[in-house]
Amino acid sequence: IREKNPDLKTIDETSHMIGVGAVIFSQLSVRRQRDVDFRWEEVLSFEGETGPYLQYTHARLCSLMRRYGEEVTPDIDYALLNGAEEQRVIELLADFPAVIADAGEQYEPYFISAHLLRLAGAFNKVYQRKDADGNIEKIISDDAALSAARMALVKSVQLVINQGLYVLGLEAPEEM
């Protein structure tokens, strides 16, 4: 955190959220009847299938919403979210309630962990998608309607990751 955001005012609180979340997630991201291979360097990584990766994704989504600076409303042109990457994110968002139900019925929090990782990975493909010239397409662009549609997707992903982390017992920092 000190490397990426040395001016963060809540660095101690955020570090605690990440450390505790990393340990909890490492236990809940594997099926109940499997052995856990616990390694600090892997558990605390901001890359890969870890709690800190999901927390970082959540914080990045919150940062996008702050940068957007406008209220995200449901009255947008959803047809603008027509890329394969966006459609995959929408499918994963729609699957979330069933994943929660399945995890509860089968006593398997792994289902939630795996789903959140798939959602974060799918959104990161949207976030890093390149245009025909090889430039990364910005979520917030000069096209107000497209920006509004993309920000509705950002808000939806942020809400699902936040709620999924909550169900798993992790906090979702808004800044890191």
Side-chain angles (χ1 to χ4, degrees), residues 127-138:
Y127 187 76
Q128 297 178 359
R129 181 176 49 202
K130 295 185 179 182
D131 63 17
D133 297 327
N135 300 313
I136 292 181
E137 291 182 13
K138 297 194 181 281

Side-chain angles (χ1 to χ4, degrees), residues 153-165:
L153 191 65
V154 166
K155 179 68 175 172
S156 298
V157 173
Q158 180 267 326
L159 287 171
V160 167
I161 289 176
N162 183 294
Q163 290 303 300
L165 290 174

Side-chain angles (χ1 to χ4, degrees), residues 17-45 48-55 108-110 112-114 116-117 165 168-170:
M17 281 185 214
I18 294 166
V20 170
V23 173
I24 292 170
F25 191 84
S26 73
Q27 302 300 301
L28 299 179
S29 64
V30 294
R31 291 186 179 265
R32 287 182 297 119
Q33 298 174 346
R34 296 230 171 137
D35 291 338
V36 175
D37 185 20
F38 187 89
R39 295 189 181 142
W40 280 114
E41 60 276 0
E42 292 174 15
V43 169
L44 292 172
S45 176
E49 298 181 348
T50 67
Y53 166 73
L54 288 173
Q55 291 170 313
E108 195 63 84
Y110 162 80
I112 300 167
S113 302
L116 293 178
L117 289 168
L165 290 174
L168 294 172
L170 281 72

Side-chain angles (χ1 to χ4, degrees), residues 75-101:
D75 58 334
I76 61 163
D77 183 359
Y78 292 97
L80 295 172
L81 300 174
N82 58 7
E85 296 92 350
E86 292 144 334
Q87 291 300 308
R88 178 66 181 143
V89 170
I90 292 167
E91 290 169 5
L92 289 166
L93 289 169
D95 290 344
F96 185 64
V99 169
I100 294 290

Side-chain angles (χ1 to χ4, degrees), residues 60-70 127 136-144 146-148 150-151 154:
R60 187 168 50 180
L61 295 165
C62 291
S63 175
L64 275 169
M65 291 186 306
R66 283 191 302 275
R67 199 169 347 137
Y68 184 57
E70 297 179 32
Y127 187 76
I136 292 181
E137 291 182 13
K138 297 194 181 281
I139 299 289
I140 304 169
S141 69
D142 294 334
D143 183 337
L146 181 58
S147 293
R150 288 179 175 164
M151 288 309 298
V154 166

